[in-house]
Amino acid sequence: MARQEERLPAPAPLLNRERSILQFNRRVLAQARRADVPLLERLRYVTIVSSNIDEFFEVRFADLAEAARQPGGGVSRSDLAAVAVAAHELIDEQYKMLNDEVVPELQRHGIIVLNHADRDEGQRRWVRRFFEREVRPLLVPLVLDPSHPFPLVANKSLNFIARLGGRDAFGRENSIAIVKVPRVLPRVIRLPDALCGGRQGFVLLTSVIRAHLEELFPGRSVESFSQFRVTRDSELEFDADDVTNLRQALRSNLSKRHFGLAIRLEVVRSCPSELHDFLLRQLQLPEYALYKVNGPVNLARLNEIIDQADAQTLRFPRYDPAWPASLRPGHSIFEQLQAGDVMLHHPFESFEPVVQFLREAVEDPAVLAIKQTIYRTGSQSVLADLLIEAARRGKEVMAVVELTARFDEEANINWAERLEAVGAQVVYGVVGLKTHAKLMLVTRREGSRLRRYVHLSTGNYNPKTARLYTDVGYLSADPALAADADAVFHQLASQGRMRSSRRLLTAPFVLHRAMVRHIAQVAAAARAGREARIVAKVNALTDPGLIAALIDAGRAGAKIDLIVRGACMLPPGVPGHTDTIRVRSVIGRFLEHTRVLYFRWGEAPDDEILYLSSADWMSRNMFRRIELAWPVRDAVLRQRIIDEALVPYLHDELDAWALQADGEYRRVAQTGISAQQALMRRYT
């Protein structure tokens, strides 16, 4: 007799990762259509999608293209073309929404973007003066010939291509010209109010240059033209086995990022075929890499309109994070942690206690040492400044600076050099493994003993993003947790073997194995008829091993809820395999960033565990990064995390999308409960 498993229907294939990423951006773009979202914020969602798509091409699509070039890379040219088709559809939808919905609404609210044909004579005179004074002196038009070859066009830079009529000053008919537009020029210029009749008028730099393009070529006519932009592979390449100084290797490679292999070409929809075909040949790009757009080639820069517009009612109401009720302002954080752990739920609660924690450590003579990881702090960071001050005061400071944090390499190199200059010990983690863990450890002398205090977080040490991303921070004086944290720092410096942890789970060593083990524990409980529950809130789910374990638990009957903001390759609702698995994505005012992992395998109080983590459920996080997960042992805090970071999102209606078995997402409802809005009201 055949086993029951053999009679089950064949499992559905995993969902395509690239399409899942593009689906996420469709959900973000849908925010720009919502009538309950303030108008300038709707425009902001359009710009966010543009930035996300840029990174998709710079990183993910670039990796696919590289795999397609390699024999046995597992990616065919038809695979690339299929992803490009999906990207084309999303980008076309983005421009249609901008032109048909957002821009007309802006006009109705007195915010207008004027093309040359829309400008009256006074506005045209002002634009001409602006062009002559601010723009023309920085432009160097290049007419192509054998001694003036096609220039090296920087990644995501604005450029114009033109076909010229007539002859040049030397009697030649060379007809193709390129104009590179410097990045220092603003992409959006606000017109004086006196010229706009009570409205707020803006002109785009592309429109300014277009109106005066012919003036750059005296004696010749511009017969056709287009703005264009090239997206390039932006991964920094270096041989990990041949690097003797990672910082120097990265700094020397930073300039090359702007000139990696071309991946995508954007032109305006009216661009003549002869011009975009010429560009494709010069850039050695296939036809599917061409994107003809109905508007400016870089929508991300439209955020300058949001920044300059005077219309507070068209933005989200100001939200000021609350000071945590569990911490008394003006009292020593160290003394308060001696009474118990403290949870911080950002951005609903302020990030300032983390800054205060470090500031108190800097100013307290009893504090002897401070250790911290630095992943994305930004070019200006109060926390990094405090570490520098601590070193100046003679404290032992160790900073684990992740130099390869994508697009933050230069800022992190600069912080590393500043820290080293004042005597801090700076290490760069382990070559080949990004240090993605968020960890701070303070060692303080208290009487005759040393006591350690630790801060861990699901998000970065960045006060700016702490107001925009949802994350959970955790402050503790638990000796076992602090000892594990110290062991992590020791390993990152010495690269020796780490002793067995009592609290922390670390990647790439045990984190993946522990998660699979917990999922299997839940599956076994389901098979035995006991309560079996998994709720995981992560940013992405793409690791095949974790997906296989979840599917097995689902087949066993475990009830599984996955709150996955971005890419998810697990198809829920497949008969006989994932019937008991639900996947939802929540897209709201704040970027969902918290990683919370809950497992229950019985009815007893000890038959459950909840982790906070820095890691998403992706193979790169589990095997190619230094990551942390830690259990929340305090029953009150554990319940609070369940009540704030899980339950509201399982019941969210307004901001939630449900993943279908075919990979499509459906909005749960147009009205109802919003988890983020409920949490904002709770903390207000």
Side-chain angles (χ1 to χ4, degrees):
M1 181 176 177
R3 291 183 302 160
Q4 181 181 359
E5 288 80 2
E6 293 173 352
R7 296 199 302 269
L8 289 171
L14 298 186
L15 302 175
N16 180 271
R17 178 178 176 180
E18 287 69 39
R19 289 178 180 271
S20 188
I21 294 172
L22 295 174
Q23 283 277 4
F24 162 66
N25 283 289
R26 283 187 181 278
R27 300 195 295 280
V28 177
L29 186 60
Q31 294 291 95
R33 185 173 282 124
R34 286 176 53 167
D36 62 325
V37 172
L39 185 54
L40 287 176
E41 305 297 346
R42 292 170 62 188
L43 176 59
R44 193 187 307 277
Y45 283 115
V46 173
T47 68
I48 289 171
V49 170
S50 185
S51 296
N52 289 349
I53 293 174
D54 283 349
E55 185 170 346
F56 173 77
F57 279 100
E58 290 175 289
V59 180
R60 186 60 196 164
F61 197 89
D63 288 345
L64 283 179
E66 175 64 24
R69 289 189 294 270
Q70 303 297 327
V75 178
S76 67
R77 293 189 180 277
S78 61
D79 293 333
L80 279 179
V83 175
V85 168
H88 274 282
E89 292 172 352
L90 172 60
I91 292 169
D92 290 345
E93 181 183 340
Q94 180 188 22
Y95 278 87
K96 180 175 176 56
M97 182 178 295
L98 175 72
N99 294 322
D100 295 352
E101 300 183 42
V102 178
V103 169
E105 279 294 312
L106 287 170
Q107 291 175 346
R108 280 192 282 273
H109 285 82
I111 299 173
I112 54 175
V113 180
L114 296 166
N115 294 321
H116 180 70
D118 302 324
R119 298 194 280 265
D120 61 30
E121 189 56 37
Q123 292 164 343
R124 289 183 179 184
R125 285 197 299 269
W126 188 92
V127 168
R128 171 177 287 280
R129 289 195 297 270
F130 180 85
F131 173 78
E132 293 292 344
R133 184 181 68 251
E134 302 290 340
V135 181
R136 184 169 187 164
L138 297 178
L139 300 181
V140 181
L142 180 70
V143 180
L144 306 185
D145 67 9
S147 63
H148 300 82
F150 187 81
L152 195 56
V153 175
N155 181 43
K156 298 188 296 187
S157 63
L158 175 62
N159 306 270
F160 278 79
I161 183 172
R163 181 165 59 83
L164 306 178
R167 298 175 180 268
D168 67 14
F170 305 96
R172 298 172 301 185
E173 294 183 343
N174 43 345
S175 61
I176 300 297
I178 302 294
V179 180
K180 299 166 70 173
V181 181
R183 295 185 189 274
V184 294
L185 289 171
R187 295 301 189 260
V188 177
I189 302 101
R190 181 164 176 174
L191 292 168
D193 290 347
L195 296 177
C196 297
R199 298 185 293 178
Q200 299 180 55
F202 297 89
V203 294
L204 304 183
L205 180 63
T206 51
S207 172
V208 172
I209 295 174
R210 172 181 177 176
H212 302 283
L213 189 61
E214 198 161 280
E215 298 172 26
L216 299 175
F217 305 97
R220 305 193 71 174
S221 61
V222 174
E223 297 179 345
S224 60
F225 66 92
S226 175
Q227 53 181 283
F228 74 93
R229 193 173 76 131
V230 180
T231 312
R232 297 182 179 274
D233 184 345
S234 293
E235 287 284 15
L236 295 180
E237 301 292 340
F238 60 90
D239 187 348
D241 296 328
D242 195 39
V243 169
T244 57
N245 187 310
L246 181 60
R247 188 177 70 200
Q248 291 178 5
L250 282 170
R251 188 177 284 284
S252 65
N253 276 282
L254 278 173
S255 60
K256 299 178 183 178
R257 160 173 284 161
H258 300 302
F259 303 104
L261 198 67
I263 300 296
R264 173 180 59 157
L265 170 65
E266 296 168 275
V267 299
V268 294
R269 189 170 61 179
S270 59
C271 179
S273 59
E274 64 173 306
L275 293 186
H276 63 60
D277 288 347
F278 172 81
L279 290 170
L280 287 173
R281 289 194 300 273
Q282 293 296 319
L283 297 166
Q284 299 181 322
L285 285 172
E287 186 175 352
Y288 63 71
L290 175 67
Y291 290 75
K292 302 178 75 170
V293 301
N294 188 19
V297 294
N298 185 0
L299 296 185
R301 297 298 290 269
L302 294 184
N303 59 23
E304 295 176 27
I305 295 177
I306 304 169
D307 295 338
Q308 297 182 52
D310 298 323
Q312 190 56 43
T313 58
L314 301 183
R315 298 182 174 89
F316 282 128
R318 178 183 173 89
Y319 178 75
D320 292 318
W323 182 267
S326 53
L327 285 174
R328 292 172 295 163
H331 291 72
S332 168
I333 293 179
F334 296 135
E335 292 178 3
Q336 295 182 74
L337 290 180
Q338 292 167 17
D341 296 351
V342 171
M343 167 194 157
L344 307 172
H345 196 177
H346 312 303
F348 314 106
E349 290 183 303
S350 173
F351 187 77
E352 184 60 25
V354 182
V355 179
Q356 292 277 73
F357 175 66
L358 182 54
R359 181 175 287 117
E360 185 177 341
V362 172
E363 296 175 353
D364 187 347
V367 169
L368 306 179
I370 303 171
K371 301 174 182 178
Q372 185 184 337
T373 60
I374 295 177
Y375 189 73
R376 296 192 192 279
T377 60
S379 57
Q380 295 182 334
S381 170
V382 62
L383 289 146
D385 284 336
L386 285 169
L387 289 177
I388 290 171
E389 178 61 23
R392 285 180 177 149
R393 294 190 181 202
K395 299 182 189 295
E396 292 296 321
V397 174
M398 175 185 174
V400 181
V401 181
E402 181 45 67
L403 296 183
T404 62
R406 187 181 296 126
F407 305 122
D408 277 302
E409 296 94 345
E410 185 170 9
N412 287 0
I413 288 171
N414 292 337
W415 283 121
E417 292 175 344
R418 289 184 60 188
L419 284 160
E420 283 187 336
V422 294
Q425 181 180 3
V426 178
V427 298
Y428 308 127
V430 181
V431 174
L433 297 174
K434 284 188 179 181
T435 303
H436 193 247
K438 284 73 178 184
L439 184 62
M440 188 193 309
L441 184 70
V442 173
T443 302
R444 186 171 185 259
R445 179 170 294 283
E446 297 178 0
S448 60
R449 64 170 184 160
L450 297 180
R451 186 163 188 171
R452 291 177 291 206
Y453 299 83
V454 64
H455 173 266
L456 305 102
S457 181
T458 65
N460 298 308
Y461 287 111
N462 189 320
K464 181 178 180 181
T465 58
R467 298 180 69 93
L468 304 173
Y469 296 5
T470 69
D471 274 303
V472 174
Y474 202 82
L475 287 160
S476 178
D478 178 1
L481 188 61
D484 284 353
D486 196 38
V488 171
F489 281 111
H490 189 273
Q491 183 182 53
L492 291 172
S494 69
Q495 302 183 54
R497 291 186 179 275
M498 185 175 170
R499 61 164 176 76
S500 296
S501 298
R502 294 171 59 189
R503 298 283 190 272
L504 292 181
L505 300 177
T506 60
F509 303 106
V510 301
L511 180 55
H512 186 270
R513 187 164 64 249
M515 294 296 103
V516 171
R517 185 175 66 250
H518 281 307
I519 297 170
Q521 195 172 11
V522 174
R527 291 188 177 97
R530 300 195 305 273
E531 184 176 351
R533 187 82 167 98
I534 297 173
V535 184
K537 186 174 186 292
V538 292
N539 301 324
L541 172 57
T542 61
D543 177 72
L546 290 168
I547 292 173
L550 288 167
I551 291 175
D552 181 67
R555 285 173 53 182
K559 184 180 179 183
I560 301 174
D561 277 289
L562 305 174
I563 308 164
V564 186
R565 184 197 75 210
C568 178
M569 293 172 59
L570 187 155
V574 177
H577 291 279
T578 57
D579 308 76
T580 64
I581 300 178
R582 294 191 308 167
V583 179
R584 53 171 36 207
S585 171
V586 175
I587 309 293
R589 171 174 176 173
F590 304 119
L591 180 75
E592 288 299 330
H593 197 249
T594 311
R595 290 94 166 190
V596 183
L597 315 166
Y598 174 82
F599 307 92
R600 172 165 278 282
W601 55 87
E603 293 74 25
D606 292 338
D607 292 343
E608 70 171 2
I609 194 166
L610 181 144
Y611 291 95
L612 297 171
S613 180
S614 64
D616 285 312
W617 280 12
M618 305 170 70
S619 298
R620 73 180 188 189
N621 296 80
M622 295 295 167
F623 302 111
R624 299 192 297 277
R625 290 187 172 189
I626 305 296
E627 300 275 16
L628 297 177
W630 63 100
V632 178
R633 296 163 59 85
D634 184 293
V636 173
L637 293 183
R638 183 167 64 244
Q639 190 60 48
R640 182 181 159 202
I641 292 169
I642 292 171
D643 291 343
E644 294 185 18
L646 294 181
V647 172
Y649 293 92
L650 295 177
H651 293 89
D652 191 296
E653 298 167 314
L654 188 61
D655 298 331
W657 297 73
L659 175 60
Q660 310 302 302
D662 62 0
E664 296 295 317
Y665 283 80
R666 294 179 187 166
R667 183 158 236 145
V668 171
Q670 300 294 325
T671 59
I673 299 168
S674 162
Q676 292 185 2
Q677 292 177 17
L679 288 165
M680 289 169 68
R681 287 193 296 270
R682 174 185 294 189
Y683 280 100
T684 299

